[in-house]
Amino acid sequence: LPPPELRDKVNARILATSHDFSAQAIANTLQAYSVMGIIPSDTALEALCDRAVLTSGSFGAMGVCMMIRSLDVLQVLGSKPHHRIWSELARQAQTSYNDMHLLGVGQTLIALGRSPTKPKDMLVESLCERAAELRGDMDGLNIATLLKGLVSVGFVSPPEELMEAVSERGVVVEWQVEDARVALQALGSMGVDSPQLMDLLQTKVEGT
C-alpha cells in the first residue's frame, strides 16, 4: 500500500485538479482505490463524485459499470459516496445497458442493490432484458453473479425469458463450487422453479 504521506499528496492533487478530470480518469482513479483496498479522503471522494455527475454522459456502458463497482467496494470499505452519484449512475445505466456485457449486468445489479438509492424497476427490467439477450455468454460465474444481483435489488420475480435462459444454460455450463453455492442460494431465495438446475447445483455443492 502507498505510504500515508503519498496518500495525502494524492488527495490534495485530486482536490486541486478534479475540475479537469475526464469521466475515464475518474473511473480509473476510483477503480485504483478500490483495487488497493483504500479509500480517498471524504473531500477528495466528494470532489470526484461531483465531477462525475457533471461528466456522466461520457462514461458509456463500461465506465458506468466500472464506477458502480468501484463505489460499491469503497462503500464496503467504509466510504460514503453521496446519493447524487448513485442516482446519476443509475440513470446512465438505463441509457447504456444495451452495451453492457453479462458480468457487468450482474455486478451492476449487486452494487445498485447495496446503494443508498435502490434502482427503479424499469432499470432492473432493462438489465434483465440485456442479460436474456446474452444467454450465449452465460457461464457459471455470470449466472451466479446475475442471480445474486437480482436478489440484491429485491427483484424476486425475474422475467420468464431470463429464467428460461438461466435454466437452459445452467445445466450445460461448467460450475465452480462457490458459484454453484451462490446460484443455489439465490434461486432458493427467489422461489424459482428450476428443479433440474437446482439438483445439479446441489450435487455440485454437496460434492465438496
Side-chain angles (χ1 to χ4, degrees):
L1 294 176
E5 58 270 21
L6 178 56
R7 298 185 210 178
D8 291 342
K9 289 181 180 179
V10 171
N11 285 323
R13 290 303 298 165
I14 288 174
L15 284 173
T17 62
S18 62
H19 59 281
D20 290 328
F21 271 58
S22 65
Q24 188 62 53
I26 297 168
N28 289 343
T29 300
L30 291 178
Q31 184 184 48
Y33 272 110
S34 67
V35 169
M36 287 188 291
I38 59 176
I39 58 177
S41 67
D42 291 343
T43 52
L45 179 61
E46 184 175 0
L48 287 174
C49 288
D50 286 344
R51 179 63 179 168
V53 170
L54 293 176
T55 61
S56 61
S58 302
F59 277 115
M62 185 175 295
V64 168
C65 290
M66 186 187 299
M67 281 288 294
I68 289 174
R69 190 166 62 251
S70 297
L71 288 175
D72 182 45
V73 172
L74 293 177
Q75 182 174 256
V76 170
L77 290 172
S79 185
K80 292 181 171 56
H82 57 56
H83 287 211
R84 294 189 307 279
I85 186 60
W86 286 112
S87 298
E88 182 58 28
L89 288 172
R91 191 175 74 83
Q92 290 300 323
Q94 181 66 64
T95 65
S96 63
Y97 71 90
N98 275 324
D99 295 322
M100 287 187 182
H101 55 73
L102 187 55
L103 186 60
V105 170
Q107 291 172 334
T108 296
L109 286 169
I110 292 172
L112 289 178
R114 293 194 292 224
S115 73
T117 54
K118 301 301 182 185
K120 296 179 180 179
D121 285 350
M122 183 172 67
L123 172 56
V124 178
E125 290 166 2
S126 297
L127 292 171
C128 287
E129 290 174 9
R130 177 58 176 166
E133 291 172 359
L134 297 171
R135 67 173 62 202
D137 294 337
M138 289 183 178
D139 58 19
L141 173 61
N142 288 338
I143 293 173
T145 305
L146 176 62
L147 294 175
K148 183 178 180 179
L150 292 173
V151 172
S152 178
V153 297
F155 207 59
V156 295
S157 299
E160 185 176 341
E161 181 184 4
L162 174 59
M163 295 317 299
E164 285 179 357
V166 167
S167 296
E168 290 174 5
R169 289 290 299 166
V171 296
V172 297
V173 301
E174 293 292 328
W175 286 91
Q176 298 297 317
V177 174
E178 184 55 32
D179 294 334
R181 183 178 290 109
V182 169
L184 185 63
Q185 183 176 6
L187 289 170
S189 298
M190 292 187 288
V192 173
D193 183 22
S194 183
Q196 187 178 2
L197 174 56
M198 294 185 75
D199 287 347
L200 183 151
L201 295 173
Q202 187 70 48
T203 300
K204 182 70 176 179
V205 171
E206 291 178 349
T208 58

